[in-house]
Amino acid sequence: MAWRGVPCGFRPCKLRLRSPLNRRPGHDGANQESLRALLNIIERHPGAAFAALLLLHTVLWTALPAALYINLPLDLIEARLYGREWQLGYDKLPPLPWWLVEITYRIFGRDLFLYLLSQAVVVISFVVIWMTARPLVGPLGALASVLILDGLHYFHYTAQKFNHDVIQLPFWALAGFSFHAALRGGRLLHWSILGLSVGLALWAKYFVAVLAIPLVLFMLLNPAARRKRNLSRPARFSITKIIYIFTVLWMRMNPKRERSDSIE
């Protein structure tokens, strides 16, 4: 499979799929026709191909660990222990993934749905990435972006142990989508989503500083971003502060707790 087209920077690009079998005599004619037909379907209906990819990914990576694992992964066992306490904070890591595991287990009561929870989070991340890439490179380019990411073990093999690394994926993706959309359109909605995603990312993992600092630096150093900074500040910081305040309250209520892992 090859891509026909030239990178267009930030302008929308139209890509076309082309099968390399067309240039290789000797291949079975039926196989060539099948592959050509599949590529034509993907090119005509990239949205449907994307939906099929999400469904296949979800079914496969939910069924495999449910069928092959005798016990839950250690991170999920840890989540079952911590989540039942319902604390605003813990001495190890933020509470959000542990709360979600406990809620899921209380509603469904089976390990299968904990693996499904992981893949639901991954699928949400893929949808946000698709939404971000589509205006830049078109639907086929957006599909290629998701396929490339789906090749990383963080989105399948590692994701089955639902933990803080997994739950932060959609918030990072949403922050990138909203930040790009806000800079291009300047809509209050996008700035609000940015504040919400960065705030919730703190509840996912304290590593969110690695995401927030580059965004702030870009707002300070880029001339076009600086012109939009004053308009965005109320929505962006107000929502983030409201979410952060719960973590700050927990830290003030537990000043003597060891938080040696807080930078993870």
Side-chain angles (χ1 to χ4, degrees):
M1 181 185 300
W3 293 98
R4 180 181 299 168
V6 179
C8 308
F10 290 102
R11 301 189 306 275
C13 305
K14 292 184 178 180
L15 301 178
R16 296 183 60 190
L17 294 173
R18 180 176 57 190
S19 171
L21 296 182
N22 294 335
R23 302 188 301 272
R24 295 181 183 177
H27 280 269
D28 183 74
N31 291 336
Q32 290 190 35
E33 290 299 325
S34 298
L35 179 58
R36 188 179 299 110
L38 177 61
L39 295 179
N40 288 335
I41 292 173
I42 294 175
E43 187 171 2
R44 290 197 305 268
H45 307 287
F50 176 61
L53 171 66
L54 297 184
L55 179 60
L56 177 62
H57 177 101
T58 302
V59 172
L60 180 64
W61 290 105
T62 300
L64 282 179
L68 300 178
Y69 285 0
I70 299 176
N71 298 315
L72 288 173
L74 290 178
D75 285 340
L76 279 174
I77 295 174
E78 180 183 59
R80 293 281 291 114
L81 292 174
Y82 278 104
R84 65 186 63 180
E85 301 297 331
W86 295 106
Q87 297 185 37
L88 283 177
Y90 297 88
D91 57 353
K92 184 177 182 181
L93 287 165
L96 182 58
W98 295 333
W99 289 354
L100 294 177
V101 167
E102 183 65 17
I103 291 171
T104 302
Y105 197 82
R106 289 197 179 194
I107 294 175
F108 301 104
R110 295 186 60 185
D111 295 349
L112 170 70
F113 292 95
L114 300 181
Y115 300 127
L116 181 60
L117 173 65
S118 296
Q119 298 314 315
V121 169
V122 170
V123 165
I124 293 172
S125 304
F126 284 159
V127 170
V128 177
I129 292 166
W130 164 274
M131 293 168 56
T132 306
R134 186 171 179 174
L136 299 177
V137 293
L140 282 176
L143 179 61
S145 302
V146 174
L147 284 170
I148 292 171
L149 287 176
D150 201 17
L152 300 176
H153 70 89
Y154 298 105
F155 293 91
H156 45 80
Y157 176 73
T158 305
Q160 43 78 25
K161 51 179 182 180
F162 186 76
N163 56 20
H164 297 77
D165 293 327
V166 177
I167 190 58
Q168 70 178 345
L169 294 175
F171 299 127
W172 281 55
L174 190 60
F177 164 77
S178 56
F179 187 65
H180 177 263
L183 290 180
R184 289 178 63 90
R187 296 181 60 186
L188 180 62
L189 174 62
H190 292 137
W191 289 116
S192 300
I193 294 175
L194 175 62
L196 179 65
S197 58
V198 173
L200 290 176
L202 176 71
W203 277 27
K205 198 169 186 180
Y206 298 129
F207 198 70
V208 66
V210 177
L211 168 67
I213 291 174
L215 297 182
V216 172
L217 290 177
F218 186 84
M219 291 288 293
L220 294 174
L221 300 177
N222 184 271
R226 282 201 304 268
R227 289 194 292 269
K228 299 179 182 290
R229 184 178 60 188
N230 293 333
L231 296 176
S232 69
R233 186 175 299 170
R236 182 162 35 96
F237 287 115
S238 297
I239 296 176
T240 305
K241 287 178 180 178
I242 291 173
I243 299 174
Y244 278 19
I245 194 171
F246 295 101
T247 301
V248 174
L249 287 174
W250 174 80
M251 289 182 176
R252 290 179 63 88
M253 293 167 61
N254 301 271
K256 295 183 180 181
R257 283 184 177 268
E258 293 291 335
R259 293 185 286 271
S260 58
D261 295 332
S262 63
I263 61 173
E264 294 187 3

